[in-house]
Every structure is written in structure tokens, then in C-alpha cells.
Amino acid sequence: MKAWTLDSLGSPLTVSDVADPQLREGSAVVRMLSAQIPAYTRALTTGDRGGLALPTVLGIGGICRVEAVADDVHSVRPGEIAAITGFLASGRIAEPEEVLLGWTGIGGRGRETATTSCMRRVWRTGTFAEQAILPGSTLVALPGAEKYPDVARLAFLPWLAVAASALERSGASAGDRIAIIGASGQLGGAATLLALARGAGVVAAVGRNTASLDRLAALDRRVRAVRSVGDRRNDAAAITDALGGDADVVIDALGPTPTPDLTMAGFDVARVDGTIVLLGGVRQDLPIPYGELMRRRLTLAGSWMASNQTVYRVWRQIESGVVDLGPLDVSHVGLDDVEGALTAAEATTGLGFVALVP
Ligand SMILES: NC(=O)c1ccc[n+]([C@@H]2O[C@H](COP(=O)([O-])OP(=O)(O)OC[C@H]3O[C@@H](n4cnc5c(N)ncnc54)[C@H](OP(=O)(O)O)[C@@H]3O)[C@@H](O)[C@H]2O)c1
């Protein structure tokens, strides 16, 4: 089969002929139908976003048709459409360990251990390919998905589930004032869709890219675009203005930023008893005053990836039309032109994404 393989960080991502995956215990073999190519995929291949277990078929997440299932796997059945999470957990409750397959990312303290190395060695598998072999626990059956009219659009489901997980952790309720910092990115765009689906009263969509913010504002009259001016005090004031008061919930979905200022603007606007969830890829330390966190009784939470239950819940929201994928701007690419695909993906923001349809 054809697959995009990466041999070492900084080497080109290449279309290769690799052996068809062979079913083994604990696995399912799937045919890829679509996979989102995140905007930062090229940066990831250079090592800019952390280490990877290499060489590997690259790619995380996607939508597939299940072809064959080992006797000990019962999460999916042959012929079904399923979502691939790429999120593998050790299952050990005392010291949980988690890794992403075909991608960068080790959970918890982010350190490689004998367990995480073993998990990534045994499952050296990504989704930018015609087929993949995956652990049964990373597959979520999507009953009814065979009737969904546009499988490329559905490739956004794993990304939506990651954003949904942050909203679930925030405890956001209908009517809440929600600030999404970095709403102009793909994860922030996903968080905006989910916040609306959860019944947010008003959403401040904060970012820099005007076109992306305009697209979010066009989604619903509850969305107010806030263009960041790069100054903490002014950004915080603009967010409070847009929300009509302090935020019940702040979701930070920023990519790597040179300062923590925009995240801290989010901290500044959280109301007493409010919740801040960190979802993005900021690599700055946050200067959080102990007294303020304590007196405002703030909850500060982290959110990494999504449980299979969340993936399934988001599928139900899509299937029922509570989450409408119609406003997404989806471009399709095949496996043949890696360079063109990475360039197209790099140019996407917010509600736009590139779907690999092998
Ligand atoms: N927690 C998890 O489970 C999880 C899962 C997947 C990804 N992530 C992380 O989430 C982050 C966001 O992903 P994404 O795909 O949404 O990335 P993205 O599309 O590149 O979006 C990044 C966002 O950050 C903003 N931004 C970037 N640099 C900035 C700067 N210097 N100042 C102000 N804003 C800046 C962008 O604003 P403009 O576009 O308006 O400039 C955009 O809103 C990534 O870093 C990724 O590592 C986390």
C-alpha cells in the first residue's frame, strides 16, 4: 500500500510503498477514508513540535472502514465506519501512561519511559496511508456514519472531540459567557462550534487572523470576534466588552506564542468561580498570582486528547445536526503529492482544513 513515511526528523515526508498491514492480536486492519492534515504537520516533521518514534507512517486520527478484526477485539466490527483516535493508553490505573500513535505526544509529564517506548514500538502506525493497523482501543464505531454524506468533512471529528473534551472539563452550561483564546486556529474553531452546540449564551472568539474570525462570527449571532492587539490589558478589556461581563469559562487553544500574555488575558477575564481550561500548545510558564487564583476561587484545568466516550458523543451531535459541519471549508488531497498537501494544510486556519482522502 501507499503511505506517507518519515524516517528522521527534518527528512522529507515521502510517499512510500510499504507492506500491507497484517492482522495480529489486539488489532484491527482498516481502510482509510479520510484524515485531517493539521496545519502544523510540516512543523511537526522538522521536530519543532517534539519527538516522534521513527521511522513511522505519519498521521493521527481519521475516519476508516474496518476491514478485519482480531478475535480479541470487540470495539469495532468488519464493515463498520469508525473514528480513529490515535490515543493509546497503557490501561494501568496506578500510573497511567498515554501516547499518540503516528504523531508527537506523550501524556502525563511528557517523558519517555520503558512503557511509552514499548507502546510506540509495537504500534508504529499512522493514518496518512491507504490502510492502517490499529489497537482496538483506539477505534470508536460510528453507527449510522455510512449514511453521512461527506466522509472528508467527518475527518474533523477527532479534532472536534479534543475540543469537546476541554468544554466538558470546563462544566460549561447553557447561557454561559465563554471566551475562546486562539479561536482563529483549528482547535479554537472546533471549540467555538462545540461551545455553540452546548448552548453558550455568548462566545468571544479571540485571535489575530481577521478572515478566520469573520468566518466564526458568521456562524451565529452569539459569536463576537475579538481581534487581539497583542497587549494583555487591552485584549482582556476587549474580551470583557464582547462578552458583556467576565467569562464563566475560558478555553485557551493557542499555538506556541512568544509570551504568555494572551493566555493571561484569558486568566484576567475569568469571573469569580470561573473555569479556565488549557488546551493549546503554549510553551510558556504562566505568572499566576496565588492570591487571585484563591480569592476568585478559579478552577484551572488542563485537557489533553479525548476519551472514546467523548468521540462518540461528538459523533451523536454531528449525526443529529446539533453540530453542523456545513460551515467547514474542506479541501481534498490524495496521497500522491505530499509537498502540495503540506503546503495547502499550512495555509488553513480556523474552520478550514485539508482532508487526505487516499
Ligand atoms: N490539548 C490537546 O489535546 C491538543 C490536541 C491537539 C493539538 N493541541 C495543540 O493545540 C495548539 C493549537 O492547534 P491548532 O491546530 O488550532 O493550531 P493552529 O491552527 O496553528 O492555531 C494556533 C492558534 O494560535 C494563535 N497564535 C499562534 N501564534 C500566536 C501568537 N504569536 N500570538 C497570538 N496568537 C497566536 C493563532 O492565531 P492566528 O491564526 O489568528 O494568528 C491560532 O488562533 C497546537 O499548538 C497543538 O499542539 C493540543
Side-chain angles (χ1 to χ4, degrees), residues 197-277:
R198 261 180 112 82
V202 52
V203 178
V206 186
R208 298 177 305 179
N209 183 315
T210 316
S212 184
L213 293 178
D214 286 348
R215 207 184 299 157
L216 292 170
L219 281 176
D220 193 291
R221 59 171 183 77
R222 290 173 291 161
V223 180
R224 315 268 154 80
V226 176
R227 193 161 182 284
S228 163
V229 291
D231 170 83
R232 173 171 166 181
R233 185 191 293 253
N234 287 326
D235 282 340
I239 298 167
T240 313
D241 228 33
L243 291 176
D246 284 346
D248 299 292
V249 166
V250 177
I251 307 282
D252 184 286
L254 285 170
T257 50
T259 75
D261 286 358
L262 195 46
T263 301
M264 290 309 296
F267 174 83
D268 294 341
V269 303
R271 74 159 165 84
V272 172
D273 289 317
T275 299
I276 303 161
V277 183

Side-chain angles (χ1 to χ4, degrees), residues 14-41:
T14 319
V15 193
S16 309
D17 282 315
V18 302
D20 287 354
Q22 299 298 314
L23 192 67
R24 61 172 198 255
E25 277 182 11
S27 77
V29 170
V30 304
R31 183 152 299 274
M32 291 307 303
L33 300 177
S34 62
Q36 180 197 352
I37 306 177
Y40 60 86
T41 303

Side-chain angles (χ1 to χ4, degrees), residues 49 159 162 182 184-187 208-209 253 255 258 279-281 303-305:
R49 300 296 173 104
W159 217 243
V162 169
S184 46
Q186 283 170 338
L187 210 45
R208 298 177 305 179
N209 183 315
L279 169 69
S303 188
W304 195 56
M305 301 310 288

Side-chain angles (χ1 to χ4, degrees), residues 68-138:
V69 179
D71 287 346
D72 58 346
V73 169
H74 306 284
S75 52
V76 290
R77 300 173 188 146
E80 273 183 331
I81 308 287
I84 302 165
T85 67
F87 180 50
L88 182 64
S90 62
R92 183 176 163 84
I93 305 301
E95 301 100 5
E97 296 191 67
E98 298 158 347
V99 298
L100 301 186
L101 302 180
W103 209 244
T104 183
I106 296 176
R109 292 178 196 275
R111 283 188 215 124
E112 198 165 334
T113 66
T115 306
T116 62
S117 301
C118 181
M119 287 156 82
R120 298 207 292 183
R121 188 173 62 247
V122 174
W123 297 105
R124 193 64 60 87
T125 178
T127 55
F128 297 162
E130 289 178 302
Q131 285 175 283
I133 176 165
L134 293 152
S137 65
T138 67

Side-chain angles (χ1 to χ4, degrees), residues 136-185:
S137 65
T138 67
L139 294 166
V140 180
L142 307 178
E146 61 287 349
K147 295 193 208 104
Y148 191 80
D150 186 350
V151 79
R153 209 162 280 272
L154 214 48
F156 205 52
L157 168 58
W159 217 243
L160 280 164
V162 169
S165 197
L167 278 150
E168 287 173 0
R169 280 177 187 280
S170 78
S173 317
D176 274 356
R177 292 167 167 158
I178 302 184
I180 298 178
I181 316 293
S184 46

Side-chain angles (χ1 to χ4, degrees), residues 263-324:
T263 301
M264 290 309 296
F267 174 83
D268 294 341
V269 303
R271 74 159 165 84
V272 172
D273 289 317
T275 299
I276 303 161
V277 183
L278 304 182
L279 169 69
V282 172
R283 302 208 188 127
Q284 305 290 334
D285 290 341
L286 302 180
I288 294 180
Y290 184 111
E292 271 203 55
L293 190 77
M294 181 266 289
R295 278 192 305 277
R296 282 200 269 153
R297 290 187 298 264
L298 294 173
T299 301
L300 179 60
S303 188
W304 195 56
M305 301 310 288
S307 70
N308 288 356
Q309 283 80 4
T310 301
V311 174
Y312 180 71
R313 270 195 289 278
V314 173
W315 160 239
R316 283 291 179 229
Q317 290 169 9
I318 293 170
E319 191 192 26
S320 62
V322 172
V323 170
D324 178 13

